[in-house]
């Protein structure tokens, strides 16, 4: 699940890198969305009570479609232009992490059966969330839904976050929507979190600025990658006893991961074997992505109302009224002209700070990260696949 | 040390009331030339530029340039406690963390002090280029406020079209459409009621009425408003503050979007 405790580390050491935003402020912005991760989240969260999820009449799960449809509709309604990026083949290094996740899922399935016998409702919900798996069928259905909504879809050759980051670096999109902090390790200029959370939860959107992350932590881009590997990423094991704060101190002191590891030689830390950090570093810095001309052209078209009704209402037992209304709102929003921004006329924004007074407590302080950590424990976090 | 005294204290209250809806927190820049502010709303669609020259104050002292971070809403609340005829004095230390507002009633019988804590904020600034606008309209500010209010009952955007004999405001919405045309005319006896159009070429631009309605909150500051437009540039809505300066609002126009259409 991304980089361990990076959110908390950034909240404590680089508070300036994160800004709260409202969905409405993203009008006209193109945003790359990490589809695979969000499908997983929708399956975990949307319409769940105990181990029951939303299903169609024939019993197929529809949580992912429900989440995807209404969130995408909301984005289009405020005038955003989302583009969804799907995961391709995971890099070899990630297989180990993935197989560990399969194992954990296996354990959770056993625990779930047990919980059902003993009848602890909280346990049933907890373990059933952990057994969630995204199948190729879920992905295929989401692709079909997005095509019907007129939203472009990009197939990443490998990791979706890496592809999103590349698109953002090339200026094809304004930022990327993901909950996964390793997007920042891929040097995403702007990471937008909580964009896909349902409106009812009323979570503010957090926008992370990569340059400010580096500035706040006082690291170079290379050192930041090393820091993330040291904190614990998907590609390498973790070193027991090293959390975010220690990792940051070590990198700031020794500058390079090689030197950090050398300094640990014979110390109290146990470096897992193998610890393929060089390979992980390469994956973060030169991931397998589509670049420049290799990218398909992004086009946003009108939503196909009849097609959507046929798919969602006909096949997936959605409420026809709600689907039609959402589609009409989307298409109405599209026919309107877009609001311009002053930067596009007057050039880039500069920041002016006050000479006096107290700094407001940053919103991403301790309280929030504590909450995030708790979420991770209960399994509603951002585990992929 | 910054100190400024304004006989017509109520002016500052009106200014705050005309800004607090658009911007929450902003930096006031105090320098020997005057008291100024530039701030944008959070979506970066509109910008406020306010300037009061030092010579407009009864007394003005600023030893060293100072940028004071203020919650506009809280400052407006404090200024609400000021009497309509009170004399206002603002004071701030160079290294301090608060600003003091002192209200003195006209007959000196009542003196009140309010202290507002300052904040350290990052305000986003833009460099606004000097532009020769292709059309400027001067009209009564109350007329402009009324048009914006009336049109927002029908739609949420307004097309402002300037031709040499008049300016037309039009909108359409779900329930219908509306047009208001104001013709240029002069009035020697009552110059505040004139409508003067100065135009090099005709301009027509579309704007969100929500913002224009917020700008119109500045109506009590001035009898006349000046609207300047050029093709594909933000509009400037300016209210002059007599003998002191001005408050100007910039608003980005609505633009046609090519990518959305695509070929099907």
């Amino acid at each position: 699940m991304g980089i361990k405790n990076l959110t908390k580390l950034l909240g404590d050491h680089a508070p300036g890198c994160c800004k709260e935003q409202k969905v409405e402020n993203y009008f006209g912005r193109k945003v790359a969305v990490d589809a695979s991760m969000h499908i997983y989240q929708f399956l975990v969260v949307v319409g769940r009570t105990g181990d029951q999820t939303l299903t169609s009449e024939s019993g197929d799960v529809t949580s992912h479609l429900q989440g995807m449809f209404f969130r995408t509709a909301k984005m289009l309604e405020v005038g955003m232009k989302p583009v969804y990026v799907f995961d391709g083949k995971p890099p070899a290094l990630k297989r180990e992490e993935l197989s560990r996740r399969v194992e954990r899922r296996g354990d959770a399935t056993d625990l779930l059966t047990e919980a059902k016998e003993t009848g602890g409702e909280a346990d049933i919900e907890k373990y059933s969330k952990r057994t969630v798996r995204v199948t190729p069928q879920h992905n295929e259905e989401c692709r079909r839904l997005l095509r019907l909504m007129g939203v472009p879809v990009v197939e990443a050759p490998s990791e979706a976050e890496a592809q999103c980051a590349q698109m953002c670096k090339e200026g094809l999109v304004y930022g990327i929507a993901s909950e996964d902090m390793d997007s920042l390790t891929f040097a995403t200029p702007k990471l937008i979190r909580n964009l896909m959370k349902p409106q009812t939860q009323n979570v503010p959107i957090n926008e992370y600025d990569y340059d400010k992350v580096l500035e706040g932590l006082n690291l170079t881009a290379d050192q930041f990658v090393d820091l993330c590997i040291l904190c614990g990423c998907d590609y390498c094991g973790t070193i027991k006893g090293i959390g975010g704060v220690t990792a940051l101190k070590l990198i700031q002191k020794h500058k390079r991961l090689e030197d950090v590891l050398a300094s640990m030689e014979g110390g109290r830390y146990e470096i897992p074997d193998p610890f393929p950090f060089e390979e992980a570093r390469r994956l973060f810095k030169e991931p397998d992505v589509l670049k420049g001309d290799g990218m398909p052209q992004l086009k946003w078209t009108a939503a196909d109302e009849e097609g959507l009704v046929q798919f969602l209402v006909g096949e997936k037992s959605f409420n026809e009224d709600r689907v039609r209304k959402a589609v009409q709102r989307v298409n109405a929003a599209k026919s309107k002209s877009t609001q311009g921004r002053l930067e596009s006329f007057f050039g880039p924004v500069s920041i002016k700070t006050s000479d006096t007074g107290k700094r407001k407590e940053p919103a991403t302080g301790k309280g929030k990260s504590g909450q995030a950590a708790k979420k991770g424990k209960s399994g509603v976090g951002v585990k992929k696949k | 040390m910054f100190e400024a005294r304004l006989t017509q204290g109520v002016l500052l209250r009106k200014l705050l009331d005309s800004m607090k809806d658009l911007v929450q927190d902003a930096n006031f820049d105090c320098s020997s030339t005057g008291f100024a502010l530039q701030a944008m709303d959070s979506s970066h669609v509109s910008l406020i530029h306010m300037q009061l020259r030092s010579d407009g104050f009864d007394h003005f002292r600023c030893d060293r340039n100072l940028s004071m971070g203020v919650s506009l809403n809280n400052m407006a609340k404090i200024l609400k406690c000021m009497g309509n005829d009170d004399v206002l004095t603002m004071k701030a230390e160079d290294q301090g963390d608060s600003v003091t507002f002192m209200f003195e009633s006209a007959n000196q019988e009542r003196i009140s002090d309010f202290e507002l804590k300052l904040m350290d904020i990052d305000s986003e600034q833009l460099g606004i280029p000097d532009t020769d606008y292709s059309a400027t309209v001067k009209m009564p500010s109350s007329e402009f406020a009324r048009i914006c209010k009336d049109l927002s009952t029908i739609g949420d955007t307004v097309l402002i079209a300037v031709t040499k004999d008049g300016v037309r405001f039009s909108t359409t919405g779900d329930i219908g459409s509306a047009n208001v045309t104001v013709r240029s005319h002069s009035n020697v006896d009552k110059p505040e009621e004139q409508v003067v159009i100065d135009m090099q070429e005709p301009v027509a631009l579309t704007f969100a009425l929500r913002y224009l309605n917020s700008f119109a909150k500045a109506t009590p500051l001035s009898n006349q408003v000046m609207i300047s437009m050029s093709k594909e540039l933000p509009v400037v809505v300016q209210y002059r503050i007599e003998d002191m300066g001005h408050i100007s609002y910039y608003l980005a126009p609505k633009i046609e979007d090519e990518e959305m259409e695509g070929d099907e």
Side-chain angles (χ1 to χ4, degrees):
Chain A
M1 51 181 288
I3 309 299
K4 286 217 175 75
N5 296 329
L6 188 57
T7 317
K8 181 167 169 9
L9 190 69
L10 291 182
D12 293 347
H13 296 269
C17 71
C18 176
K19 244 181 16 187
E20 276 191 19
Q21 278 286 11
K22 284 185 284 192
V23 193
E24 285 73 19
N25 288 353
Y26 285 101
F27 59 81
R29 298 261 198 233
K30 293 175 208 163
V31 172
V33 186
D34 177 352
S36 310
M37 195 219 71
H38 285 107
I39 294 173
Y40 174 83
Q41 273 206 317
F42 289 141
L43 283 172
V44 171
V45 181
V46 175
R48 170 181 288 274
T49 36
D51 63 339
Q52 302 292 306
T53 49
L54 290 178
T55 56
S56 66
E57 268 163 20
S58 53
D60 294 332
V61 176
T62 54
S63 290
H64 56 304
L65 295 173
Q66 171 90 11
M68 189 68 101
F69 177 67
F70 287 104
R71 281 317 282 162
T72 311
K74 176 69 196 172
M75 285 200 265
L76 292 169
E77 226 179 281
V78 299
M80 280 173 66
K81 296 186 225 167
V83 37
Y84 282 84
V85 182
F86 284 82
D87 268 335
K89 244 176 54 196
L93 265 189
K94 199 171 178 173
R95 304 244 164 87
E96 204 173 310
E97 166 74 16
L98 292 178
S99 66
R100 220 171 316 144
R101 286 181 194 170
V102 171
E103 223 169 85
R104 270 206 302 258
R105 200 151 52 219
D107 293 349
T109 319
D110 297 343
L111 285 166
L112 177 61
T113 339
E114 205 182 299
K116 273 187 185 157
E117 278 163 16
T118 53
E121 252 174 59
D123 281 351
I124 294 182
E125 179 157 339
K126 187 161 101 191
Y127 295 127
S128 79
K129 275 179 182 171
R130 288 197 195 161
T131 58
V132 167
R133 202 175 147 244
V134 179
T135 63
Q137 196 204 342
H138 292 144
N139 279 323
E140 202 34 64
E141 283 172 348
C142 284
R143 284 193 191 95
R144 182 169 161 207
L145 173 74
L146 293 169
R147 268 194 295 272
L148 285 169
M149 295 183 83
V151 172
V153 169
V154 172
E155 300 294 338
S158 182
E159 296 259 44
E161 295 109 298
Q163 181 64 49
C164 291
Q166 178 64 27
M167 287 159 67
C168 193
K169 279 184 238 172
E170 286 181 23
L172 289 173
V173 293
Y174 168 79
I176 85 171
S178 175
E179 305 304 309
D180 236 332
M181 290 304 273
D182 53 11
S183 313
L184 284 174
T185 322
F186 288 112
T188 298
K190 271 201 198 312
L191 168 65
I192 305 164
R193 295 182 92 189
N194 299 338
L195 187 62
M196 304 289 280
K197 290 274 164 66
Q199 197 131 50
T200 44
Q201 279 186 13
N202 209 4
V203 214
I205 292 168
N206 288 331
E207 190 178 302
Y208 289 85
D209 191 308
Y210 178 69
D211 290 334
K212 287 196 184 140
V213 168
L214 295 186
E215 199 186 299
L217 297 178
N218 197 12
L219 295 178
T220 64
D222 289 348
Q223 287 168 349
F224 181 66
V225 172
D226 284 359
L227 170 75
C228 294
I229 297 173
L230 199 54
C231 286
C233 64
D234 291 345
Y235 303 141
C236 280
T238 49
I239 303 174
K240 226 177 155 192
I242 296 212
V245 180
T246 327
L248 179 62
K249 270 190 204 140
L250 286 170
I251 294 281
Q252 278 171 344
K253 185 169 161 204
H254 298 286
K255 310 291 178 209
R256 267 165 23 126
L257 191 50
E258 283 89 342
D259 300 335
V260 173
L261 294 178
S263 78
M264 286 180 185
E265 230 28 77
R268 63 194 169 99
Y269 295 116
E270 226 174 279
I271 299 163
D273 188 43
F275 193 65
F277 69 90
E278 275 164 339
E279 180 69 9
R281 202 190 260 168
R282 197 188 56 78
L283 281 171
F284 279 126
K285 284 195 213 161
E286 297 150 22
D288 187 9
V289 289
L290 301 171
K291 282 186 193 162
D293 297 338
M295 271 291 300
Q297 236 200 330
L298 305 178
K299 247 183 204 150
W300 289 265
T301 54
D304 173 359
E305 183 172 340
E306 290 316 314
L308 282 166
V309 168
Q310 202 234 328
F311 177 42
L312 293 177
V313 181
E315 294 172 35
K316 299 292 174 190
S317 325
F318 274 52
N319 178 325
E320 177 165 353
D321 216 31
R322 289 190 65 193
V323 172
R324 278 195 193 276
K325 277 204 177 121
V327 177
Q328 276 155 14
R329 279 201 304 271
V330 166
N331 282 341
K334 271 191 185 170
S335 61
K336 277 189 204 155
S337 48
T338 329
Q339 173 66 56
R341 279 192 174 74
L342 288 170
E343 295 100 299
S344 50
F345 302 98
F346 292 159
V349 173
S350 60
I351 300 286
K352 182 165 193 176
T353 46
S354 329
D355 297 330
T356 48
K358 263 197 197 132
R359 171 99 350 208
K360 245 196 205 170
E361 271 300 299
T364 46
K366 288 200 168 143
K368 277 244 170 99
S369 47
Q371 197 188 341
K374 228 173 19 195
K375 267 193 184 165
K377 250 182 235 160
S378 64
V380 206
V382 271
K383 279 174 206 150
K384 271 173 64 175
K385 286 184 188 160
Chain B
M1 170 90 182
F2 163 70
E3 199 174 61
R5 186 180 153 93
L6 195 60
T7 318
Q8 267 192 297
V10 72
L11 193 77
L12 196 69
R13 179 166 81 204
K14 289 180 187 165
L15 266 176
L16 259 293
D17 287 341
S18 72
M19 302 194 288
K20 68 177 165 63
D21 286 356
L22 284 168
V23 180
Q24 282 191 322
D25 307 323
N27 282 321
F28 279 98
D29 297 315
C30 316
S31 68
S32 52
T33 51
F35 189 63
L37 173 145
Q38 201 211 78
M40 262 194 283
D41 73 298
S42 66
S43 59
H44 294 188
V45 171
S46 64
L47 179 142
I48 301 175
H49 181 215
M50 182 278 287
Q51 207 161 20
L52 299 177
R53 286 188 311 273
S54 53
D55 56 36
F57 290 86
D58 308 305
H59 163 73
F60 194 92
R61 173 181 164 193
C62 185
D63 303 339
R64 151 170 186 278
N65 288 0
L66 189 67
S67 193
M68 297 194 297
V70 167
S71 147
L72 295 185
N73 229 331
N74 292 343
M75 183 165 161
K77 274 185 201 160
I78 287 184
L79 293 177
K80 283 248 181 325
C81 308
M82 175 173 55
N84 280 335
D85 306 314
D86 284 6
V87 177
L88 166 76
T89 309
M90 287 186 282
K91 270 185 224 159
E93 298 293 331
D94 285 345
Q95 303 297 332
D97 56 3
S98 67
V99 56
T100 309
F101 300 94
M102 185 168 79
F103 313 139
E104 293 165 87
S105 65
N107 52 14
Q108 295 282 318
E109 278 164 0
R110 184 174 194 265
I111 298 166
S112 25
D113 270 312
F114 284 77
E115 195 180 274
L116 175 66
K117 283 189 187 135
L118 293 175
M119 301 188 301
D120 181 12
I121 51 170
D122 294 331
S123 73
E124 294 164 312
Q125 307 273 303
L126 284 179
I128 302 163
D130 278 329
T131 314
D132 287 324
Y133 286 93
S134 40
T136 52
V137 178
K138 285 187 194 140
M139 61 188 285
S141 56
S142 53
E143 179 65 33
F144 176 68
R146 183 179 161 201
I147 292 171
C148 293
K149 189 168 138 261
D150 289 354
L151 292 190
S152 35
T153 56
I154 301 283
D156 39 53
T157 60
V158 58
L159 175 76
I160 307 181
V162 185
T163 58
K164 62 180 185 308
D165 16 83
V167 47
R168 194 169 68 121
F169 300 83
S170 39
T171 188
T172 47
D174 291 343
I175 59 165
S177 64
N179 291 291
V180 179
T181 305
V182 179
R183 288 183 191 284
S184 71
H185 63 88
S186 54
N187 189 334
V188 190
D189 298 333
K190 288 184 181 164
E192 69 272 11
E193 283 178 16
Q194 336 193 81
V195 175
V196 181
I197 294 173
D198 176 11
M199 189 201 77
Q200 266 79 52
E201 55 174 335
V203 196
L205 289 171
T206 308
F207 299 99
L209 274 166
R210 182 160 70 89
Y211 292 94
L212 295 177
N213 275 315
S214 294
F215 300 169
K217 297 257 158 64
T219 306
L221 283 163
S222 179
N223 289 327
Q224 285 257 313
V225 58
M226 184 167 86
I227 303 161
S228 313
M229 297 206 295
S230 270
K231 206 177 150 199
E232 286 164 13
L233 268 186
V235 64
V236 191
V237 178
Q238 188 181 73
Y239 296 83
R240 295 210 148 271
I241 301 162
E242 222 170 306
D243 301 327
M244 282 207 84
H246 64 91
I247 180 163
S248 305
Y249 302 90
Y250 293 78
L251 175 61
K254 295 253 180 180
I255 34 182
E256 286 312 320
D257 195 347
E258 306 90 25
E259 266 162 330
M260 228 38 178
E261 281 147 61
D263 353 308
E264 276 184 83

